[in-house]
Amino acid sequence: MKQIQVSKDLAINGAAPAFDQPLHVGRPNIGDRDLFMKYAEGIFDRRWLSNNGPLVQEFEQKVADYHKVKHCVSMCNGTVALEIAIRALGLTGEVIIPSYTFVATAHALSWQAITPVFADIDPVTHTLDPASVRRMITPRTTGIIGVHLWGRPAETEALQQIADEHNLKLMYDAAHAFGCSSKGTMVGNFGACEVLSFHATKFFNTFEGGAVITNDDDLAEKMRLMRNFGFAGFDNVVHMGINGKMIEIAAAMGLVNLEAIDHVIEINRRNYHLYKEALSDLPGVSLLSFNEEDHNNYQYVVMEVSEGSSVSRDAIIEALHAENILARKYFWPGCHGMKPYRELYPHASLLLQNSEKVADRVVVLPTGTTMSKEMVEAVASVIRVLILGNA
Ligand code: T4K
């Protein structure tokens, strides 16, 4: 790795990239490989590969305990988990979601012929603005899906109040929020149910995977049946269903990564604070903060670039990519700006001004166990050079 000191050292000025290999946002964290191999041997010995195997059951119990909820219904990925939760809750017609989220939140509804209606976000928290949610309610609305974006819980009390007043179902896309809490209550205990993602790029992964966590016995039972084609025992199909099952080898990865979770969070926390310290005095640049009194997983380091910055957000991304730092502008341009939804809602941006503003500001920086202290410092110094060199 090259030392970066002055602006002419940047790759966009003709120098070699700061890093020989690309630094990715979402590089997987992988726990003890020997333990994983032991689990794999057990799977082969038992010849039980899928369909609610013993590792899946053990994994579900541990994830439920971790979040202090009654049920964890594991699934093959977070998107299918969303789809099953939406169907099990009986959502139809229109469902209100933020536009500023990963597109899977919207797709999970559209895929089932339910209309996603985009509400705006709070520009500070990046989560659903309850006032905007209220404005989007129509006679066709059946539910709200809040998103705990970046692992920071949405405004759960205000959303529950709206749902209760209008007799709407409330659930959460908690894909980013494994292990997070709000005012001391663990994610999993808000709304009717909450959906986790264990995708490779999440700080906690099962290769691919997801789950719905809930305290509702009937809902959990229904989702267990739905993820297995609706079968309630041999030959007896009682629900519309799909194949949404988690496989044993994914659960093995989950059990291994659960052992490593404290270590991963500690590294993420360290990296976040290193970035924060190094970038805090830069004009026009700020890092999204976390409530340190709650549980956070710090899996996304979100830098916001405002008008006061000497370099635009897109120019920063371009310069970082030239240095082999593959920062991302998640979740630009917002779902309403993506082709399947842009054509449905040509005037949506009039109602989604905060979403558009935030989508134009965000740069997500690499973190996780593959990022050493020195690497984080080097990424931060590239950003410093870029901003201060152009001020
Ligand atoms: N709701 C929300 C709010 C979500 O953010 C997501 C997923 C979902 C629902 C749906 O959950 P899942 O169905 O995915 O379980 C990635 C992930 O694919 C996606 O899971 C995630 N959100 C989203 C935020 O990020 P992309 O399009 O950014 O993926 P990609 O291929 O560009 O990979 C990201 C970076 O990670 C790249 O720089 C490469 C690196 N990478 C990736 C993989 C898979 C690795 O280094 N190793 C790997 O194995 O969507």
Side-chain angles (χ1 to χ4, degrees):
M1 191 199 319
K2 192 164 69 76
Q3 282 290 331
I4 300 154
Q5 280 152 354
V6 288
S7 62
K8 66 179 164 44
D9 273 354
L10 291 177
I12 46 169
N13 295 331
F19 293 91
D20 303 334
Q21 301 291 324
L23 302 187
H24 296 276
V25 170
R27 202 89 176 123
N29 300 309
I30 299 171
D32 184 335
R33 292 181 191 202
D34 292 337
L35 181 59
F36 177 78
M37 295 306 173
K38 256 171 58 190
Y39 276 120
E41 291 291 350
I43 292 170
F44 293 138
D45 290 346
R46 283 189 296 277
R47 287 184 186 265
W48 197 278
L49 308 185
S50 183
N51 291 24
N52 205 26
L55 295 185
V56 162
Q57 290 178 37
E58 185 183 341
F59 175 68
E60 288 183 338
Q61 189 59 54
K62 288 191 166 158
V63 171
D65 291 348
Y66 195 84
H67 292 88
K68 299 187 170 62
V69 289
K70 280 172 84 177
H71 304 282
C72 167
V73 184
S74 65
M75 308 272 182
C76 55
N77 60 56
T79 306
V80 167
L82 277 170
E83 288 172 3
I84 289 179
I86 287 164
R87 192 174 277 265
L89 275 179
L91 300 183
T92 56
E94 294 177 0
V95 171
I96 299 171
I97 64 169
S99 171
Y100 189 63
T101 176
F102 188 59
V103 72
T105 322
H107 282 347
L109 292 163
S110 300
W111 199 253
Q112 308 189 74
I114 300 167
T115 306
V117 171
F118 300 121
D120 209 0
I121 53 166
D122 180 304
V124 176
T125 63
H126 298 189
T127 56
L128 266 180
D129 169 11
S132 174
V133 171
R134 279 186 190 280
R135 286 195 290 274
M136 305 314 281
I137 295 172
T138 75
R140 296 191 70 229
T141 310
T142 60
I144 303 167
I145 304 179
V147 180
H148 303 315
L149 207 78
W150 316 126
R152 301 187 339 158
E155 288 202 42
T156 52
E157 282 167 31
L159 292 177
Q160 190 63 60
Q161 196 180 336
I162 297 172
D164 292 344
E165 277 171 26
H166 294 267
N167 199 19
L168 304 174
K169 299 272 172 52
L170 173 64
M171 59 173 273
Y172 289 96
D173 178 338
H176 299 179
F178 188 108
C180 297
S181 67
S182 175
K183 297 181 194 151
T185 301
M186 290 299 286
V187 156
N189 293 284
F190 301 108
C193 63
E194 309 205 46
V195 173
L196 302 170
S197 164
F198 314 134
H199 183 257
T201 56
K202 298 294 184 294
F203 93 106
F204 171 85
N205 82 85
T206 61
F207 297 108
E208 286 267 7
V212 189
I213 50 179
T214 180
N215 290 312
D216 184 326
D217 299 341
D218 294 339
L219 187 65
E221 181 55 19
K222 197 169 176 185
M223 292 188 295
R224 285 187 195 288
L225 297 172
M226 284 181 156
R227 74 173 171 187
N228 186 29
F229 314 100
F231 274 107
F234 291 140
D235 311 321
N236 183 24
V237 174
V238 296
H239 278 296
M240 170 72 84
I242 194 172
N243 184 352
K245 290 167 274 135
M246 176 174 274
I247 57 176
E248 284 290 272
I249 199 72
M253 186 68 154
L255 289 168
V256 167
N257 284 338
L258 272 177
E259 299 276 316
I261 201 162
D262 291 344
H263 170 69
V264 175
I265 292 174
E266 200 39 54
I267 299 284
N268 278 354
R269 183 190 286 122
R270 179 203 67 192
N271 290 350
Y272 168 77
H273 284 291
L274 284 170
Y275 276 123
K276 190 151 181 120
E277 204 173 306
L279 303 176
S280 62
D281 62 335
L282 291 181
V285 160
S286 59
L287 279 201
L288 201 78
S289 62
F290 295 92
N291 180 355
E292 301 282 344
E293 282 166 20
D294 265 309
H295 293 288
N296 301 297
N297 58 37
Y298 302 92
Q299 70 179 307
Y300 291 104
V301 177
V302 182
M303 183 172 87
E304 288 189 76
V305 183
S306 65
E307 293 75 24
S309 167
S310 58
V311 186
S312 72
R313 189 280 300 271
D314 286 359
I316 291 177
I317 295 264
E318 195 186 335
L320 292 180
H321 282 211
E323 301 293 346
N324 257 335
I325 301 163
L326 303 187
R328 298 291 295 263
K329 47 182 180 180
Y330 288 142
F331 292 100
W332 185 87
C335 296
H336 71 283
M338 294 179 170
K339 189 162 178 283
Y341 303 106
R342 191 168 60 219
E343 289 169 4
L344 277 178
Y345 307 103
H347 306 300
S349 65
L350 295 174
L351 297 165
L352 299 169
Q353 289 175 7
N354 291 333
S355 305
E356 296 205 332
K357 199 189 291 176
V358 169
D360 284 343
R361 286 182 165 187
V362 160
V363 178
V364 178
L365 300 171
T367 185
T369 51
T370 58
M371 290 291 292
S372 67
K373 181 173 180 285
E374 291 72 26
M375 290 159 92
V376 171
E377 284 168 349
V379 171
S381 64
V382 171
I383 297 169
R384 288 187 68 78
V385 164
L386 201 59
I387 305 252
L388 295 176
N390 287 282

